[in-house]
Amino acid sequence: MNKNDVSTKTALLEAAVKVFAAKGFSSATVREICQLANANVAAVNYHFGGKDALYSAVLEHVIGRRTELFRTGDRDPDASPEQRLEAYIRRKLRDIYALDGVTGLASDHWAIFLMEVANPSENLNLLVEQYVQAAVDELRGIVAELLNLPPMDQEVQDSALSIWGQLLDPLVMMPITDRLTPPRARVQEDLDRFAEHMVTFTLGGLLAIRDS
Amino acid sequence: MNKNDVSTKTALLEAAVKVFAAKGFSSATVREICQLANANVAAVNYHFGGKDALYSAVLEHVIGRRTELFRTGDRDPDASPEQRLEAYIRRKLRDIYALDGVTGLASDHWAIFLMEVANPSENLNLLVEQYVQAAVDELRGIVAELLNLPPMDQEVQDSALSIWGQLLDPLVMMPITDRLTPPRARVQEDLDRFAEHMVTFTLGGLLAIRDS
DNA sequence: TCCTGTTTCAAACGCCCGTTTTAAACGATT
DNA sequence: AATCGTTTAAAACGGGCGTTTGAAACAGGA
């Protein structure tokens, strides 16, 4: 295993992230990926074993990165549930929309996630197990405390879902909001303002649910 | 143009809706579509001019159906903004999640919409112009009234977006919620309860926004 | 019945895809 | 320098795809 070895392999992986994010699995071609990675067409099969295996590797890689960033967010278990909800929302919004040029663009990662949800493959199980489940459980705990209900209550699940909807919506709807008149400003460009909006809206909504 | 003529053409269209909804544009094959429609492989090119044109026809067809159903919903301009918001939410939830076996399954239509958003083609413009724009404008009007703000205010746009997020979230997240432990009950099976939840949550959220 | 335009059909075409092959280039070890 | 496992490279293979072809089947009017 020489120096160039890992270099081409990771180059392939990073190129694959970009191409898969841009075109989706079936429209992406290994030829384009290899070209972007300055590698030979045979490189994908040599290093990963095939296009499917490369895609799985990409998903594993992306899930790992996202999980890592999500875990490292600091939590204060002594804070009030309101404060923890606000922290959760801000952390997750940053996770989704912050433009971190360091470890590969997050937008590519989320584009892949979105296409995986719109057109699931068997790899979606991994995404849910390793990333979504923990994030949802945490949110459910906070919401349950706020509503003073058991975490498995139907109302808690619906509320958690309502919150996730708002978190993901700017991502999902971006192609649409870009085409609306007037086009909506992208969340990325005013993350704090949107976070503030979401927190007030959500807390108000939860209050109304609790009182109903 | 004989009797069988329109028959094969519409059969192709309906088959295409199903196959495109299940596999996405690039993974769907005209051979599979033709087989499902009991037609020859050449039929697609003869009746539509090619796979791309068939997909455009499918999207036009689906957009037309959805727009039609959305328009026919009765509105009461004299009702309070709260009532109109509730009516809007219920109407849209029904549009998305109701299982109408009559005019082709709505779920197929929304699966196509979702894939179009996750992986936009040039046809997305049509979808936004003919379907989304009007629906969003209407919602913006209601929200503006509730918040006592001009319809183009940033806060109004964000709130409308929050509402759309909740409307679409069960659809978008279905592949995920199905894989969660415990899996969430599908909205389709308890539409009224979820509608009620959404209305209280949303009104509470809007109230909090107005008072902030 | 013959003619004419329309629709179906089986077969084939050409292209691009993922993958395989085979050999050359390379790096490290002795 | 010789050897050996590892990595690259060019070329080709086989298959599936969208599409085309050309003739047969059909329907309706003269």
Side-chain angles (χ1 to χ4, degrees):
Chain A
M1 195 188 275
N2 61 19
K3 196 180 72 183
N4 272 352
D5 180 15
V6 294
S7 183
T8 38
K9 189 167 183 181
T10 63
L12 277 174
L13 200 70
E14 286 169 15
V17 168
K18 286 178 191 158
V19 176
F20 282 137
K23 310 250 179 112
F25 175 77
S26 45
S27 289
T29 70
V30 311
R31 280 176 164 83
E32 183 180 357
I33 292 170
C34 290
Q35 193 177 350
L36 189 63
N38 286 319
N40 189 271
V41 246
V44 162
N45 288 279
Y46 178 76
H47 284 286
F48 294 93
K51 188 190 181 185
D52 295 278
L54 172 62
Y55 181 71
S56 294
V58 162
L59 225 60
E60 274 182 52
H61 170 75
V62 170
I63 290 172
R65 278 271 178 241
R66 287 295 115 203
T67 307
E68 188 182 333
L69 261 69
F70 175 69
R71 286 239 177 88
T72 57
D74 49 338
R75 291 163 180 74
D76 181 5
D78 297 330
S80 71
E82 285 85 359
Q83 286 171 321
R84 279 187 291 144
L85 181 67
E86 171 159 5
Y88 184 95
I89 289 176
R90 289 189 183 275
R91 179 153 38 92
K92 206 107 212 74
L93 282 178
R94 234 180 295 119
D95 178 25
I96 302 178
Y97 301 105
L99 326 102
D100 57 327
V102 185
T103 149
L105 286 174
S107 59
D108 282 342
H109 298 182
W110 287 96
I112 292 175
F113 285 173
L114 182 54
M115 287 188 299
E116 189 62 37
V117 167
N119 211 316
S121 77
E122 52 180 16
N123 296 287
L124 182 56
N125 291 317
L126 199 73
L127 173 60
V128 174
E129 285 168 21
Q130 300 205 353
Y131 181 72
V132 182
Q133 182 77 55
V136 165
D137 285 343
E138 184 180 346
L139 179 60
R140 228 175 352 213
I142 300 174
V143 171
E145 225 174 308
L146 277 166
L147 295 184
N148 203 25
L149 286 173
M152 290 309 165
D153 190 279
Q154 182 79 260
E155 204 65 65
V156 173
Q157 293 205 46
D158 284 347
S159 298
L161 197 71
S162 293
I163 295 169
W164 265 71
Q166 293 175 68
L167 287 169
L168 288 173
D169 190 63
L171 170 78
V172 177
M173 302 280 284
M174 201 188 308
I176 288 183
T177 49
D178 283 351
R179 289 167 171 80
L180 281 179
T181 50
R184 217 190 87 87
R186 295 199 174 182
V187 176
Q188 294 90 318
E189 291 155 8
D190 207 349
L191 209 51
D192 282 332
R193 204 192 49 73
F194 183 76
E196 203 169 328
H197 158 84
M198 230 198 102
V199 169
T200 20
F201 186 91
T202 301
L203 282 175
L206 290 177
L207 198 75
I209 292 286
R210 200 193 53 192
D211 295 343
S212 74
Chain B
M1 194 189 276
N2 62 17
K3 196 181 73 183
N4 272 351
D5 182 14
V6 292
S7 184
T8 40
K9 189 166 183 181
T10 64
L12 278 173
L13 200 70
E14 286 171 15
V17 169
K18 286 179 191 159
V19 176
F20 281 138
K23 309 250 177 112
F25 175 77
S26 45
S27 289
T29 69
V30 310
R31 281 177 164 83
E32 182 180 356
I33 292 170
C34 290
Q35 193 176 350
L36 190 63
N38 286 317
N40 190 270
V41 250
V44 163
N45 287 279
Y46 177 76
H47 285 286
F48 294 92
K51 188 190 180 185
D52 295 275
L54 172 61
Y55 181 72
S56 294
V58 162
L59 226 61
E60 275 182 52
H61 170 74
V62 170
I63 291 172
R65 278 270 179 241
R66 287 296 115 202
T67 308
E68 186 182 333
L69 260 68
F70 175 70
R71 287 239 177 87
T72 55
D74 48 337
R75 292 162 180 74
D76 181 6
D78 297 331
S80 71
E82 284 86 0
Q83 286 171 320
R84 278 188 292 143
L85 181 67
E86 171 158 5
Y88 184 95
I89 289 176
R90 290 188 181 274
R91 178 154 38 92
K92 208 107 209 71
L93 282 178
R94 232 180 296 120
D95 179 25
I96 302 178
Y97 300 105
L99 324 101
D100 56 326
V102 185
T103 150
L105 286 173
S107 60
D108 282 343
H109 298 181
W110 287 96
I112 292 175
F113 285 173
L114 182 54
M115 289 188 299
E116 188 62 37
V117 167
N119 210 311
S121 76
E122 52 181 14
N123 297 287
L124 184 56
N125 291 318
L126 199 72
L127 174 59
V128 174
E129 285 169 22
Q130 301 205 353
Y131 181 70
V132 183
Q133 182 78 55
V136 165
D137 285 344
E138 184 180 345
L139 178 59
R140 235 185 336 224
I142 300 174
V143 172
E145 225 173 306
L146 278 167
L147 295 183
N148 202 24
L149 286 171
M152 290 309 166
D153 189 279
Q154 182 79 263
E155 204 64 63
V156 173
Q157 293 205 47
D158 283 347
S159 299
L161 197 69
S162 294
I163 295 170
W164 266 71
Q166 294 174 70
L167 286 170
L168 288 173
D169 190 63
L171 170 78
V172 177
M173 302 281 282
M174 200 188 306
I176 288 182
T177 49
D178 282 351
R179 288 167 171 79
L180 280 180
T181 52
R184 218 190 86 88
R186 296 201 171 179
V187 177
Q188 295 89 319
E189 293 155 7
D190 207 350
L191 209 53
D192 281 332
R193 205 192 47 73
F194 183 76
E196 202 170 328
H197 159 84
M198 231 198 102
V199 170
T200 32
F201 187 92
T202 302
L203 282 175
L206 289 177
L207 197 76
I209 292 286
R210 197 193 53 193
D211 294 343
S212 75

